[in-house]
Amino acid sequence: QVQLVESGGGLVQPGGSLRLSCAASGSIFRLDVMGWYRQAPGKERELVASVTRGGSTNYAESVKGRFTISRDNAKNTVSLQMNSLKSEDTAVYYCYAQDVRYFPPEDYWGKGTLVTVSS
């Protein structure tokens, strides 16, 4: 099993910045895709950003140019730098990782961290 623990959520004013971090631990073989999803009240969970082990990134259109995802393969961590935050970014943010020990790969999720953008 792989455990994912997020940190860095909180309350921030519109236009502000936050940095989310996620650390993976446990019985890790090799983590391929890592990323962040979010779920706002009354909405479905959606992809925010993802990064492959090789460094290829993918962003939701709504966060392009404002959010930056990064990872440290040696430490099994992934971070999300969020700038120019908007009220619509308010959501619970979930860390995601895919371990390729088996086929198909196993998906793991963190418990989530709340980000509230409000004045």
Side-chain angles (χ1 to χ4, degrees):
Q1 289 290 320
V2 175
Q3 293 81 44
L4 301 176
V5 178
E6 304 104 333
S7 61
L11 174 65
V12 62
Q13 293 186 341
S17 298
L18 276 178
R19 184 176 181 85
L20 304 183
S21 297
C22 174
S25 62
S27 182
I28 298 171
F29 178 68
R30 189 175 74 249
L31 300 179
D32 186 7
V33 179
M34 299 185 76
W36 294 90
Y37 282 70
R38 67 185 180 187
Q39 187 167 20
K43 295 188 176 181
E44 294 187 354
R45 190 174 296 190
E46 63 175 358
L47 173 68
V48 177
S50 64
V51 57
T52 67
R53 190 171 186 84
S56 297
T57 58
N58 182 39
Y59 293 94
E61 284 295 326
S62 60
V63 306
K64 281 184 179 179
R66 299 189 297 123
F67 291 11
T68 303
I69 191 169
S70 61
R71 68 185 284 176
D72 185 325
N73 291 332
K75 296 182 179 179
N76 290 315
T77 59
V78 62
S79 297
L80 185 69
Q81 178 65 42
M82 306 185 294
N83 298 328
S84 302
L85 283 160
K86 305 176 181 179
S87 58
E88 49 263 46
D89 295 317
T90 294
V92 177
Y93 284 70
Y94 296 91
C95 178
Y96 161 81
Q98 191 176 69
D99 192 310
V100 295
R101 178 190 299 268
Y102 303 111
F103 184 82
E106 295 180 300
D107 297 337
Y108 294 95
W109 296 89
K111 293 183 178 181
T113 184
L114 178 62
V115 172
T116 303
V117 184
S118 175
S119 55

